[in-house]
Amino acid sequence: MDIRNKVALVTGASSGIGAATARKLAAEGVIVGLAARRRDRLDALATEIEGNGGSAIALETDVTDMASCKKAADTLITAHGRIDVLVNNAGLMPLSDIDSFKTDEWQRMVDVNITGCSMSRRLCYRR
Ligand SMILES: NC(=O)c1ccc[n+]([C@@H]2O[C@H](COP(=O)([O-])OP(=O)(O)OC[C@H]3O[C@@H](n4cnc5c(N)ncnc54)[C@H](OP(=O)(O)O)[C@@H]3O)[C@@H](O)[C@H]2O)c1
């Protein structure tokens, strides 16, 4: 399948699986929007991708914030006309025993892994 010039938004692109996925997609000719909170990492990755002949745009984003998600999606659509693919990867996985009752961690997981994922999806695929 030819995926060159598709436009992908990768959330959680500042490290780990998201950064690796963004690199791989860019190497295949996909235009990548790099979304996460750590701007310095996104800028470094965008520079790396562009240096390798790819196309990338850094989009400082907090997926738990609707306005921030909307801004990222809007910026990518304004720059490249559309979003074809969402890699809805931003997330956390703090591990703790249920009896430790770390409700703040649980709430953060819900905010990022559930609310953040659904907001990103909604904003990327609105028509
Ligand atoms: N690695 C594994 O073995 C494994 C196993 C099962 C599931 N997963 C899931 O796969 C995904 C990626 O895992 P990983 O190992 O690559 O983790 P990681 O290196 O910790 O990356 C997590 C990414 O999510 C971003 N993120 C966190 N909170 C965010 C927020 N509020 N807004 C925007 N971005 C946010 C982080 O960027 P910033 O901090 O810059 O915002 C980072 O880029 C996660 O959803 C994880 O739960 C991983």
Side-chain angles (χ1 to χ4, degrees), residues 75-115:
T75 303
L76 192 55
I77 291 167
T78 299
H80 296 292
R82 65 196 187 280
I83 297 173
D84 299 305
V85 176
L86 169 64
V87 181
N88 212 343
N89 161 79
L92 15 129
M93 198 169 55
L95 298 177
S96 63
D97 188 301
I98 197 157
D99 290 326
S100 63
F101 215 66
K102 294 186 179 172
T103 56
D104 54 336
E105 281 190 356
W106 305 342
Q107 188 58 55
R108 263 195 305 122
M109 268 182 92
V110 170
D111 290 346
V112 177
N113 298 16
I114 299 175
T115 313

